[in-house]
Amino acid sequence: MNRMILGLSLLLSSLSTVYAAPVTLHALFMKQAAYSEANIKDMTKAFEAKNPGVKINLEFVPYEGLHDKIVSSASAGSNGYDVVLFDVIWPTEFAKNGFLTDVTSRIPAADNTRVFSGAWTTVTADGKRYGMPWILDTKYLFYNKDMLKKAGIAAPPKTWEELQKQAAIIKAKKLVEYPIVWSWSQAEALICDYTTLLSAYGGQFYTGGKPAFNTGGGLKALQYMTGSLKSGLSNPNSTEYLEEDVRKVFSDGKAAFALNWTYMYAMANDPKQSKVAGNVGIVPAPGAAGVSQASAMNGSMGLGIPTGSPHKDEAWKFIQYLTSAPAQEQFATLSLPIWKASYSKPAVVKGQADLVKAANTSLNLMFPRPTIAQYPQLSTLLQTSLQRALLGSQTPAQALDSAAKAASRFR
């Protein structure tokens, strides 16, 4: 009898040890834009304090390497990641290939209307949700208030045509050599800027299952981009710049206008890293005369659980914490919350009322990039074609016609 009691005690002790064993989650994030590494480390530290049985191993990679890192780790199964940050353009591909866990049943129905609809598209494929939206972002037009004032310009532009006119005035007054700076390197950043302009001019990527970006608003968008370079109003180095280059040029006072993500507002207004702090204006990206009043593209990102993760419950708990309104409102300077109610909270509005005002317009206009499983191939094709036009080796029509012909096989 005593042996039975001893055996039972040892078994219970063993089970207790197993149950209480700490879980270590491996989480993958990107280095640049939106929440900083310091923000994410602080959020994680707070989560671990509330959940002493869960430890988080954070890994940061450049955005340009994020997609391939997720794909390559999928074959690692239970030795891969437990939480990954993914872009709005990848859920269809990841769902098709079984990389991400369907978490539809884990999301409360009440959250459907509390979160911006554009944010939900970030994690949705074929009607199922593969994560929670976390970074709700689009590109805004930043402007140097002091330069506009010296040029006699009373208000920032509301259309892309007005932007060209104001830039011409600023250049003529020799306030800056190249008034506009963009992130037009051969990368996804180029597609984001092109999508913003395409949406302003009423274009579409596909119509009736066939490529349509080589006509109408898609063609006008690229014609605008090439014209801006030829006129000398846009910095020619834009064709080699990513978003961080744009931030640094604008923060050095070497541009009057820049198109960039939310994170630039706080950093360009930080006197420790910006020469134009206090003179940074922000408005929605302009519209096109007679077509639209403003423009925006969906640059949001979500957090998901790879299918191979052996710790899905703990991973979901971590995701729930990071995407919660209190956590997002506490760190709302480099990325704005996904929750509609947060936009009237003092913690979010204080010190960045102009950003929040612009967001209230732009976040309701976010135009999507194509949601197809072959998006990476389409993006690479478009990047190459857009660069050919920007660098002058082809006309906009030639570049887009060629891309459209090749892209027809992707649908």
Side-chain angles (χ1 to χ4, degrees), residues 327-342:
Q328 290 207 295
E329 290 167 5
Q330 184 181 352
F331 295 91
T333 54
L334 298 178
S335 184
L336 293 173
I338 60 173
W339 305 93
K340 296 176 183 176
S342 296

Side-chain angles (χ1 to χ4, degrees), residues 306-319:
T307 50
S309 169
H311 306 298
K312 291 184 175 61
D313 288 341
E314 292 85 356
W316 182 247
K317 201 168 187 179
F318 183 44
I319 289 173

Side-chain angles (χ1 to χ4, degrees), residues 121-156:
T121 65
T122 307
V123 297
T124 304
D126 294 330
K128 298 177 181 177
R129 289 177 178 161
Y130 291 88
M132 272 295 288
W134 187 43
I135 296 170
L136 181 59
D137 215 347
T138 188
K139 289 209 168 185
Y140 299 93
L141 182 69
F142 293 80
Y143 62 95
N144 184 311
K145 293 180 180 178
D146 190 46
M147 282 191 194
L148 266 63
K149 185 177 180 181
K150 288 179 179 176
I153 298 170

Side-chain angles (χ1 to χ4, degrees), residues 71 168 217 235 249 347 385:
V71 172
N235 190 321
V249 169
S385 297

Side-chain angles (χ1 to χ4, degrees), residues 59 103 116 124 166 195 207 278 302 306 402 408:
E59 182 178 340
V103 296
F116 283 94
T124 304
Q166 293 188 6
T195 302
T207 301
S402 175
S408 61

Side-chain angles (χ1 to χ4, degrees), residues 224-306:
Y224 182 93
M225 294 164 75
T226 56
S228 179
L229 283 173
K230 289 179 181 176
S231 66
L233 298 177
S234 286
N235 190 321
N237 292 328
S238 294
T239 57
E240 300 174 2
Y241 284 165
L242 292 173
E243 291 92 337
E244 268 297 88
D245 303 304
V246 168
R247 180 185 70 80
K248 291 171 183 174
V249 169
F250 183 84
S251 296
D252 280 344
K254 296 178 180 176
F257 301 102
L259 198 68
N260 213 339
W261 305 107
T262 301
Y263 84 102
M264 188 169 111
Y265 187 72
M267 296 181 78
N269 272 312
D270 180 356
K272 294 180 181 177
Q273 51 189 329
S274 173
K275 296 177 181 177
V276 299
N279 278 315
V280 180
I282 183 171
V283 290
V291 181
S292 58
Q293 295 184 336
S295 57
M297 52 78 59
N298 193 345
S300 305
M301 303 184 82
L303 292 170
I305 307 171

